[in-house]
Amino acid sequence: MSKAYQVITDQIIELLEQGTVPWRQPWISVAPQNLITCRAYRGINPFILACRGFSSPFWLTFRQAKQLGGSVRKGQRSAPVVFWKIHKKEDEESQEEAQTVSVPVLRYYRVFNVEQCEGLPEERIPVIEEREFAPLEIAEKIVAGMPGPPEIRHGATAALYLPAKDRVELPRPTCFESSHQYYCTLFHELTHASGSKGRLGRLGGKTPAPFGSADYSREELVAEMGAAFLCGECGIEQSTLENSAAYISHWLQRLKSDPRLAVIAAAQAQKAADFILGRHQPNGKEKAQATAKAV
């Protein structure tokens, strides 16, 4: 495997291990693009860049930042961008003299988000227009009433729960296609959070299950079913169930051999929804976990 392939493979594995699933995105965002050329990145690059957690879609190289009179802040981590470069080489199998063939070779370079930079001219960074967002009172009450909730941070370009930091990260509410989709996504991540060691203990620790494993797939089913239950409490289930069903089908296809999956996942999802709603009565083990976390 070439170095460029390995760099991108490592990035994808890292994102998946963090809990980021790139094919689930009920929010709208400007495609990642180069700040100077205004060209949108293509291929695998939009997924890699969009999942880095920055609210701005604009990227540039270290040299481009300097050309604009700015700089990259010390300690910032770059992201790889891959591209195909055509090389000419002699065709060893040709029967004729001086025959050449074009060979595509994968190469990469590194970029930084404008949020990682300082001193960039403000007039060179386009302002992104956002749609209006109408909060749902009943949904807000559910979020606010969750016992011992995780930190909720907006401004990311992906939605995920980070067990090690006990934090939910989401795009800004105005980025979502609708307020219903925003709350469905938030409920999905809060359901993940409900399984932490200091709450229901479903996740078992601070390290997410390996992507594609039975535990990972089951937890995704639990999170989506939990979100559906909570959306039902808000009366918005009909507008979100279609997307949820499509998302769940991906994991069901991986685990069709386990006839207990849907029943177990639904039971855990109901328990998670009850916890978020403040209706769950913890057993002795859960009380001990909560006490240990508080200490």
PDB file of all heavy atoms in Angstrom, residues 78-103:
ATOM      1  N   SER A  78      -2.673  19.075  10.960  1.00  0.00           N
ATOM      2  CA  SER A  78      -3.139  19.214   9.576  1.00  0.00           C
ATOM      3  C   SER A  78      -3.989  18.017   9.171  1.00  0.00           C
ATOM      4  O   SER A  78      -4.039  16.993   9.862  1.00  0.00           O
ATOM      5  CB  SER A  78      -1.946  19.333   8.625  1.00  0.00           C
ATOM      6  OG  SER A  78      -1.157  18.157   8.672  1.00  0.00           O
ATOM      7  N   ALA A  79      -4.662  18.154   8.037  1.00  0.00           N
ATOM      8  CA  ALA A  79      -5.465  17.072   7.465  1.00  0.00           C
ATOM      9  C   ALA A  79      -4.934  16.755   6.073  1.00  0.00           C
ATOM     10  O   ALA A  79      -4.525  17.657   5.342  1.00  0.00           O
ATOM     11  CB  ALA A  79      -6.941  17.482   7.378  1.00  0.00           C
ATOM     12  N   PRO A  80      -4.923  15.487   5.675  1.00  0.00           N
ATOM     13  CA  PRO A  80      -4.414  15.128   4.349  1.00  0.00           C
ATOM     14  C   PRO A  80      -5.464  15.321   3.259  1.00  0.00           C
ATOM     15  O   PRO A  80      -6.652  15.103   3.468  1.00  0.00           O
ATOM     16  CB  PRO A  80      -4.068  13.651   4.505  1.00  0.00           C
ATOM     17  CG  PRO A  80      -5.055  13.152   5.507  1.00  0.00           C
ATOM     18  CD  PRO A  80      -5.282  14.286   6.464  1.00  0.00           C
ATOM     19  N   VAL A  81      -5.013  15.754   2.095  1.00  0.00           N
ATOM     20  CA  VAL A  81      -5.852  15.861   0.901  1.00  0.00           C
ATOM     21  C   VAL A  81      -5.148  15.078  -0.201  1.00  0.00           C
ATOM     22  O   VAL A  81      -3.970  15.322  -0.480  1.00  0.00           O
ATOM     23  CB  VAL A  81      -6.042  17.326   0.469  1.00  0.00           C
ATOM     24  CG1 VAL A  81      -6.691  17.398  -0.910  1.00  0.00           C
ATOM     25  CG2 VAL A  81      -6.894  18.073   1.484  1.00  0.00           C
ATOM     26  N   VAL A  82      -5.850  14.119  -0.785  1.00  0.00           N
ATOM     27  CA  VAL A  82      -5.221  13.278  -1.810  1.00  0.00           C
ATOM     28  C   VAL A  82      -5.640  13.718  -3.209  1.00  0.00           C
ATOM     29  O   VAL A  82      -6.704  14.310  -3.403  1.00  0.00           O
ATOM     30  CB  VAL A  82      -5.581  11.793  -1.611  1.00  0.00           C
ATOM     31  CG1 VAL A  82      -5.041  11.280  -0.296  1.00  0.00           C
ATOM     32  CG2 VAL A  82      -7.084  11.577  -1.678  1.00  0.00           C
ATOM     33  N   PHE A  83      -4.782  13.437  -4.181  1.00  0.00           N
ATOM     34  CA  PHE A  83      -5.066  13.752  -5.578  1.00  0.00           C
ATOM     35  C   PHE A  83      -4.293  12.783  -6.470  1.00  0.00           C
ATOM     36  O   PHE A  83      -3.303  12.170  -6.045  1.00  0.00           O
ATOM     37  CB  PHE A  83      -4.675  15.193  -5.900  1.00  0.00           C
ATOM     38  CG  PHE A  83      -3.202  15.482  -5.799  1.00  0.00           C
ATOM     39  CD1 PHE A  83      -2.396  15.480  -6.931  1.00  0.00           C
ATOM     40  CD2 PHE A  83      -2.613  15.735  -4.564  1.00  0.00           C
ATOM     41  CE1 PHE A  83      -1.036  15.730  -6.837  1.00  0.00           C
ATOM     42  CE2 PHE A  83      -1.254  15.985  -4.462  1.00  0.00           C
ATOM     43  CZ  PHE A  83      -0.451  15.989  -5.608  1.00  0.00           C
ATOM     44  N   TRP A  84      -4.774  12.661  -7.693  1.00  0.00           N
ATOM     45  CA  TRP A  84      -4.117  11.779  -8.661  1.00  0.00           C
ATOM     46  C   TRP A  84      -3.184  12.597  -9.543  1.00  0.00           C
ATOM     47  O   TRP A  84      -3.566  13.636 -10.067  1.00  0.00           O
ATOM     48  CB  TRP A  84      -5.137  11.067  -9.541  1.00  0.00           C
ATOM     49  CG  TRP A  84      -5.978  10.071  -8.804  1.00  0.00           C
ATOM     50  CD1 TRP A  84      -7.247  10.242  -8.340  1.00  0.00           C
ATOM     51  CD2 TRP A  84      -5.600   8.745  -8.430  1.00  0.00           C
ATOM     52  NE1 TRP A  84      -7.690   9.119  -7.701  1.00  0.00           N
ATOM     53  CE2 TRP A  84      -6.699   8.177  -7.745  1.00  0.00           C
ATOM     54  CE3 TRP A  84      -4.440   7.979  -8.609  1.00  0.00           C
ATOM     55  CZ2 TRP A  84      -6.675   6.885  -7.249  1.00  0.00           C
ATOM     56  CZ3 TRP A  84      -4.415   6.678  -8.109  1.00  0.00           C
ATOM     57  CH2 TRP A  84      -5.520   6.150  -7.435  1.00  0.00           C
ATOM     58  N   LYS A  85      -1.958  12.120  -9.694  1.00  0.00           N
ATOM     59  CA  LYS A  85      -0.995  12.763 -10.576  1.00  0.00           C
ATOM     60  C   LYS A  85      -0.594  11.774 -11.658  1.00  0.00           C
ATOM     61  O   LYS A  85      -0.285  10.614 -11.382  1.00  0.00           O
ATOM     62  CB  LYS A  85       0.248  13.206  -9.784  1.00  0.00           C
ATOM     63  CG  LYS A  85       1.214  14.040 -10.611  1.00  0.00           C
ATOM     64  CD  LYS A  85       2.319  14.612  -9.736  1.00  0.00           C
ATOM     65  CE  LYS A  85       3.239  15.511 -10.548  1.00  0.00           C
ATOM     66  NZ  LYS A  85       4.311  16.101  -9.708  1.00  0.00           N
ATOM     67  N   ILE A  86      -0.636  12.235 -12.915  1.00  0.00           N
ATOM     68  CA  ILE A  86      -0.335  11.363 -14.038  1.00  0.00           C
ATOM     69  C   ILE A  86       1.161  11.369 -14.324  1.00  0.00           C
ATOM     70  O   ILE A  86       1.768  12.426 -14.501  1.00  0.00           O
ATOM     71  CB  ILE A  86      -1.105  11.794 -15.296  1.00  0.00           C
ATOM     72  CG1 ILE A  86      -2.616  11.824 -15.002  1.00  0.00           C
ATOM     73  CG2 ILE A  86      -0.801  10.853 -16.453  1.00  0.00           C
ATOM     74  CD1 ILE A  86      -3.187  10.483 -14.599  1.00  0.00           C
ATOM     75  N   HIS A  87       1.750  10.174 -14.345  1.00  0.00           N
ATOM     76  CA  HIS A  87       3.164  10.028 -14.661  1.00  0.00           C
ATOM     77  C   HIS A  87       3.307   9.309 -16.000  1.00  0.00           C
ATOM     78  O   HIS A  87       2.537   8.404 -16.317  1.00  0.00           O
ATOM     79  CB  HIS A  87       3.884   9.235 -13.571  1.00  0.00           C
ATOM     80  CG  HIS A  87       4.203  10.040 -12.359  1.00  0.00           C
ATOM     81  ND1 HIS A  87       5.408  10.660 -12.162  1.00  0.00           N
ATOM     82  CD2 HIS A  87       3.449  10.339 -11.275  1.00  0.00           C
ATOM     83  CE1 HIS A  87       5.400  11.305 -11.010  1.00  0.00           C
ATOM     84  NE2 HIS A  87       4.209  11.126 -10.448  1.00  0.00           N
ATOM     85  N   LYS A  88       4.287   9.712 -16.743  1.00  0.00           N
ATOM     86  CA  LYS A  88       4.591   9.065 -18.005  1.00  0.00           C
ATOM     87  C   LYS A  88       5.758   8.109 -17.806  1.00  0.00           C
ATOM     88  O   LYS A  88       6.754   8.462 -17.181  1.00  0.00           O
ATOM     89  CB  LYS A  88       4.976  10.101 -19.064  1.00  0.00           C
ATOM     90  CG  LYS A  88       3.893  11.126 -19.386  1.00  0.00           C
ATOM     91  CD  LYS A  88       2.774  10.525 -20.213  1.00  0.00           C
ATOM     92  CE  LYS A  88       1.791  11.620 -20.653  1.00  0.00           C
ATOM     93  NZ  LYS A  88       0.707  11.067 -21.492  1.00  0.00           N
ATOM     94  N   LYS A  89       5.620   6.897 -18.312  1.00  0.00           N
ATOM     95  CA  LYS A  89       6.738   5.976 -18.236  1.00  0.00           C
ATOM     96  C   LYS A  89       6.777   5.104 -19.484  1.00  0.00           C
ATOM     97  O   LYS A  89       5.778   4.964 -20.203  1.00  0.00           O
ATOM     98  CB  LYS A  89       6.644   5.110 -16.986  1.00  0.00           C
ATOM     99  CG  LYS A  89       5.617   4.008 -17.043  1.00  0.00           C
ATOM    100  CD  LYS A  89       5.764   3.101 -15.819  1.00  0.00           C
ATOM    101  CE  LYS A  89       4.873   1.876 -15.947  1.00  0.00           C
ATOM    102  NZ  LYS A  89       5.053   0.951 -14.798  1.00  0.00           N
ATOM    103  N   GLU A  90       7.916   4.530 -19.720  1.00  0.00           N
ATOM    104  CA  GLU A  90       8.102   3.727 -20.928  1.00  0.00           C
ATOM    105  C   GLU A  90       7.345   2.416 -20.807  1.00  0.00           C
ATOM    106  O   GLU A  90       7.350   1.766 -19.748  1.00  0.00           O
ATOM    107  CB  GLU A  90       9.596   3.449 -21.121  1.00  0.00           C
ATOM    108  CG  GLU A  90       9.905   2.784 -22.458  1.00  0.00           C
ATOM    109  CD  GLU A  90      11.391   2.674 -22.698  1.00  0.00           C
ATOM    110  OE1 GLU A  90      12.138   3.594 -22.272  1.00  0.00           O
ATOM    111  OE2 GLU A  90      11.818   1.675 -23.295  1.00  0.00           O
ATOM    112  N   ASP A  91       6.658   2.066 -21.881  1.00  0.00           N
ATOM    113  CA  ASP A  91       5.890   0.826 -21.913  1.00  0.00           C
ATOM    114  C   ASP A  91       6.832  -0.326 -22.231  1.00  0.00           C
ATOM    115  O   ASP A  91       7.275  -0.496 -23.370  1.00  0.00           O
ATOM    116  CB  ASP A  91       4.789   0.918 -22.965  1.00  0.00           C
ATOM    117  CG  ASP A  91       3.852  -0.281 -22.931  1.00  0.00           C
ATOM    118  OD1 ASP A  91       4.111  -1.202 -22.127  1.00  0.00           O
ATOM    119  OD2 ASP A  91       2.870  -0.286 -23.690  1.00  0.00           O
ATOM    120  N   GLU A  92       7.139  -1.131 -21.211  1.00  0.00           N
ATOM    121  CA  GLU A  92       8.094  -2.217 -21.395  1.00  0.00           C
ATOM    122  C   GLU A  92       7.541  -3.341 -22.255  1.00  0.00           C
ATOM    123  O   GLU A  92       8.302  -4.135 -22.801  1.00  0.00           O
ATOM    124  CB  GLU A  92       8.505  -2.769 -20.022  1.00  0.00           C
ATOM    125  CG  GLU A  92       9.207  -1.736 -19.154  1.00  0.00           C
ATOM    126  CD  GLU A  92       9.548  -2.285 -17.786  1.00  0.00           C
ATOM    127  OE1 GLU A  92       9.132  -3.441 -17.513  1.00  0.00           O
ATOM    128  OE2 GLU A  92      10.203  -1.575 -17.005  1.00  0.00           O
ATOM    129  N   GLU A  93       6.216  -3.442 -22.376  1.00  0.00           N
ATOM    130  CA  GLU A  93       5.617  -4.526 -23.156  1.00  0.00           C
ATOM    131  C   GLU A  93       5.382  -4.142 -24.610  1.00  0.00           C
ATOM    132  O   GLU A  93       4.980  -4.973 -25.411  1.00  0.00           O
ATOM    133  CB  GLU A  93       4.295  -4.948 -22.517  1.00  0.00           C
ATOM    134  CG  GLU A  93       4.457  -5.504 -21.107  1.00  0.00           C
ATOM    135  CD  GLU A  93       3.140  -5.952 -20.521  1.00  0.00           C
ATOM    136  OE1 GLU A  93       2.123  -5.820 -21.234  1.00  0.00           O
ATOM    137  OE2 GLU A  93       3.122  -6.432 -19.383  1.00  0.00           O
ATOM    138  N   SER A  94       5.608  -2.885 -24.941  1.00  0.00           N
ATOM    139  CA  SER A  94       5.363  -2.439 -26.313  1.00  0.00           C
ATOM    140  C   SER A  94       6.408  -3.010 -27.264  1.00  0.00           C
ATOM    141  O   SER A  94       7.598  -3.111 -26.933  1.00  0.00           O
ATOM    142  CB  SER A  94       5.385  -0.902 -26.373  1.00  0.00           C
ATOM    143  OG  SER A  94       5.253  -0.472 -27.707  1.00  0.00           O
ATOM    144  N   GLN A  95       5.949  -3.381 -28.445  1.00  0.00           N
ATOM    145  CA  GLN A  95       6.854  -3.910 -29.467  1.00  0.00           C
ATOM    146  C   GLN A  95       7.486  -2.784 -30.275  1.00  0.00           C
ATOM    147  O   GLN A  95       8.390  -3.026 -31.071  1.00  0.00           O
ATOM    148  CB  GLN A  95       6.071  -4.855 -30.402  1.00  0.00           C
ATOM    149  CG  GLN A  95       5.435  -6.043 -29.701  1.00  0.00           C
ATOM    150  CD  GLN A  95       6.451  -6.945 -29.033  1.00  0.00           C
ATOM    151  OE1 GLN A  95       7.518  -7.207 -29.586  1.00  0.00           O
ATOM    152  NE2 GLN A  95       6.132  -7.429 -27.832  1.00  0.00           N
ATOM    153  N   GLU A  96       7.004  -1.580 -30.117  1.00  0.00           N
ATOM    154  CA  GLU A  96       7.529  -0.441 -30.853  1.00  0.00           C
ATOM    155  C   GLU A  96       8.444   0.374 -29.948  1.00  0.00           C
ATOM    156  O   GLU A  96       8.360   0.333 -28.729  1.00  0.00           O
ATOM    157  CB  GLU A  96       6.376   0.440 -31.356  1.00  0.00           C
ATOM    158  CG  GLU A  96       5.404  -0.306 -32.255  1.00  0.00           C
ATOM    159  CD  GLU A  96       4.273   0.604 -32.720  1.00  0.00           C
ATOM    160  OE1 GLU A  96       4.409   1.827 -32.556  1.00  0.00           O
ATOM    161  OE2 GLU A  96       3.285   0.077 -33.223  1.00  0.00           O
ATOM    162  N   GLU A  97       9.331   1.114 -30.567  1.00  0.00           N
ATOM    163  CA  GLU A  97      10.276   1.916 -29.808  1.00  0.00           C
ATOM    164  C   GLU A  97       9.632   3.207 -29.305  1.00  0.00           C
ATOM    165  O   GLU A  97       8.705   3.729 -29.907  1.00  0.00           O
ATOM    166  CB  GLU A  97      11.494   2.258 -30.681  1.00  0.00           C
ATOM    167  CG  GLU A  97      12.296   1.030 -31.089  1.00  0.00           C
ATOM    168  CD  GLU A  97      13.526   1.412 -31.888  1.00  0.00           C
ATOM    169  OE1 GLU A  97      13.727   2.629 -32.102  1.00  0.00           O
ATOM    170  OE2 GLU A  97      14.274   0.510 -32.299  1.00  0.00           O
ATOM    171  N   ALA A  98      10.159   3.690 -28.159  1.00  0.00           N
ATOM    172  CA  ALA A  98       9.762   4.998 -27.604  1.00  0.00           C
ATOM    173  C   ALA A  98       8.268   5.103 -27.332  1.00  0.00           C
ATOM    174  O   ALA A  98       7.651   6.141 -27.546  1.00  0.00           O
ATOM    175  CB  ALA A  98      10.199   6.127 -28.521  1.00  0.00           C
ATOM    176  N   GLN A  99       7.642   4.024 -26.866  1.00  0.00           N
ATOM    177  CA  GLN A  99       6.235   4.047 -26.488  1.00  0.00           C
ATOM    178  C   GLN A  99       6.117   4.351 -24.985  1.00  0.00           C
ATOM    179  O   GLN A  99       6.829   3.765 -24.162  1.00  0.00           O
ATOM    180  CB  GLN A  99       5.575   2.697 -26.779  1.00  0.00           C
ATOM    181  CG  GLN A  99       5.406   2.404 -28.264  1.00  0.00           C
ATOM    182  CD  GLN A  99       4.393   3.337 -28.897  1.00  0.00           C
ATOM    183  OE1 GLN A  99       3.323   3.555 -28.346  1.00  0.00           O
ATOM    184  NE2 GLN A  99       4.732   3.892 -30.049  1.00  0.00           N
ATOM    185  N   THR A 100       5.244   5.259 -24.653  1.00  0.00           N
ATOM    186  CA  THR A 100       5.034   5.609 -23.248  1.00  0.00           C
ATOM    187  C   THR A 100       3.572   5.410 -22.868  1.00  0.00           C
ATOM    188  O   THR A 100       2.678   5.447 -23.722  1.00  0.00           O
ATOM    189  CB  THR A 100       5.431   7.070 -22.966  1.00  0.00           C
ATOM    190  OG1 THR A 100       4.626   7.929 -23.773  1.00  0.00           O
ATOM    191  CG2 THR A 100       6.907   7.299 -23.261  1.00  0.00           C
ATOM    192  N   VAL A 101       3.341   5.197 -21.592  1.00  0.00           N
ATOM    193  CA  VAL A 101       1.983   5.043 -21.079  1.00  0.00           C
ATOM    194  C   VAL A 101       1.789   6.006 -19.916  1.00  0.00           C
ATOM    195  O   VAL A 101       2.746   6.403 -19.250  1.00  0.00           O
ATOM    196  CB  VAL A 101       1.718   3.596 -20.611  1.00  0.00           C
ATOM    197  CG1 VAL A 101       1.715   2.641 -21.778  1.00  0.00           C
ATOM    198  CG2 VAL A 101       2.730   3.180 -19.559  1.00  0.00           C
ATOM    199  N   SER A 102       0.535   6.396 -19.691  1.00  0.00           N
ATOM    200  CA  SER A 102       0.191   7.288 -18.589  1.00  0.00           C
ATOM    201  C   SER A 102      -0.232   6.455 -17.388  1.00  0.00           C
ATOM    202  O   SER A 102      -1.119   5.603 -17.498  1.00  0.00           O
ATOM    203  CB  SER A 102      -0.938   8.233 -18.992  1.00  0.00           C
ATOM    204  OG  SER A 102      -0.527   9.056 -20.068  1.00  0.00           O
ATOM    205  N   VAL A 103       0.392   6.692 -16.259  1.00  0.00           N
ATOM    206  CA  VAL A 103       0.108   5.928 -15.046  1.00  0.00           C
ATOM    207  C   VAL A 103      -0.342   6.881 -13.942  1.00  0.00           C
ATOM    208  O   VAL A 103       0.403   7.789 -13.556  1.00  0.00           O
ATOM    209  CB  VAL A 103       1.355   5.157 -14.570  1.00  0.00           C
ATOM    210  CG1 VAL A 103       1.034   4.376 -13.300  1.00  0.00           C
ATOM    211  CG2 VAL A 103       1.854   4.223 -15.664  1.00  0.00           C
TER     212      VAL A 103
END
